[in-house]
Amino acid sequence: GVFFLIAFIMSVYLTFTDLKEHLIAALFTCLFFGSIAFLLLKTPKKIAVSSENSSESYPDLTASYTDSENMVAELNSESSRLVQPTHEEITARWKTPDIIRLIQESYQIMYETDNPETLCSRYKFASSKAEELNYYYRQGWYTDIAKINQYTEMLSDENYSRLIFRCYQKYVNKANQELKTKKGVDKRIDRFWSIIQNNVDTEMYIRLRQQ
């Protein structure tokens, strides 16, 4: 292509110029324009090569972005594992086994006692512990719903009434064994109901006396 262009330029120049008089000028002109033509034809190839080299010099941006996402995900996962429970949560988890033990022990005493004062004090104590356990459950620090339901039933008003009557029967039997007269037994019974009245609400007390 280059030689064809040079020949074309020479032929044009020689057509309009006296070859004998201007041979050197013609050669110079052909070389000059031929060089320009050569450079013009050469340049695109260099640009193409440069373009290829340029494309090879850049890294795989998609892979780098994916690696960055994976790194962020790992950091977030590690951060979540490093989140420490609050002091209150640690305390709750440490206290929970003792709370459960105290509720069970208190209920056992309530079931077996013949002393109304012991019954009422243990009921209040066990109820406070059950409420504490319920609080832990609402916060998500205790998750055994079966035990929550069990203790709710054990310490319900209905079951409390049954425990009071059970205690009353034992109390009366003990009074009959220890006292010789009906008057003495009746006095003991009055004392029992006085204790109950001071430890339950009025509505429950009325229901108990009507049974």
Side-chain angles (χ1 to χ4, degrees):
V2 176
F3 292 106
F4 175 76
L5 181 59
I6 294 172
F8 175 77
I9 294 170
M10 288 179 66
S11 64
V12 171
Y13 186 80
L14 292 174
T15 301
F16 298 98
T17 309
D18 188 353
L19 180 61
K20 293 179 180 181
E21 296 178 357
H22 304 284
L23 179 59
I24 296 175
L27 290 173
F28 178 77
T29 303
C30 290
L31 289 173
F32 176 76
F33 288 105
S35 299
I36 294 175
F38 177 77
L39 291 174
L40 291 174
L41 293 173
K42 188 78 172 175
T43 302
K45 293 183 179 180
K46 289 184 177 180
I47 292 174
V49 172
S50 177
S51 176
E52 292 176 1
N53 291 337
S54 177
S55 65
E56 292 177 357
S57 65
Y58 286 100
D60 187 349
L61 297 178
T62 302
S64 298
Y65 182 74
T66 302
D67 291 342
S68 297
E69 280 189 325
N70 292 337
M71 183 177 295
V72 171
E74 289 176 2
L75 288 174
N76 289 337
S77 177
E78 183 67 20
S79 177
S80 64
R81 288 196 296 268
L82 292 176
V83 174
Q84 297 297 321
T86 63
H87 175 72
E88 189 177 11
E89 181 178 357
I90 294 172
T91 302
R93 292 180 177 178
W94 174 72
K95 290 176 63 177
T96 295
D98 279 338
I99 290 174
I100 292 172
R101 177 181 58 81
L102 291 170
I103 292 173
Q104 293 173 342
E105 288 180 355
S106 294
Y107 186 81
Q108 186 68 27
I109 292 171
M110 290 163 61
Y111 188 81
E112 295 176 351
T113 187
D114 58 9
N115 187 325
E117 291 177 323
T118 300
L119 171 65
C120 293
S121 64
R122 281 290 175 169
Y123 176 81
K124 290 178 181 178
F125 177 74
S127 296
S128 68
K129 293 300 176 183
E131 181 55 37
E132 190 174 358
L133 194 64
N134 272 311
Y135 173 74
Y136 295 163
Y137 175 77
R138 292 192 297 271
Q139 299 301 315
W141 304 331
Y142 181 73
T143 58
D144 192 344
I145 186 62
K147 283 196 178 296
I148 293 291
N149 292 335
Q150 178 187 2
Y151 298 151
T152 299
E153 174 63 25
M154 285 166 52
L155 300 171
S156 65
D157 287 348
E158 183 179 358
N159 196 50
Y160 189 26
S161 296
R162 288 195 289 265
L163 290 172
I164 289 173
F165 274 113
R166 181 181 177 84
C167 180
Y168 172 75
Q169 291 171 351
K170 291 183 177 182
Y171 187 85
V172 172
N173 289 337
K174 185 178 180 179
N176 286 325
Q177 292 174 1
E178 294 178 349
L179 301 172
K180 301 295 186 180
T181 64
K182 183 178 181 302
K183 184 178 179 180
V185 172
D186 289 341
K187 192 173 181 179
R188 285 277 186 94
I189 292 174
D190 289 341
R191 181 174 180 275
F192 178 92
W193 288 115
S194 177
I195 294 170
I196 297 299
Q197 186 177 14
N198 291 331
N199 286 278
V200 301
D201 59 56
T202 302
E203 185 178 352
M204 177 179 282
Y205 177 75
I206 293 173
R207 287 201 308 268
L208 289 168
R209 295 309 303 266
Q210 288 175 348
Q211 293 180 7

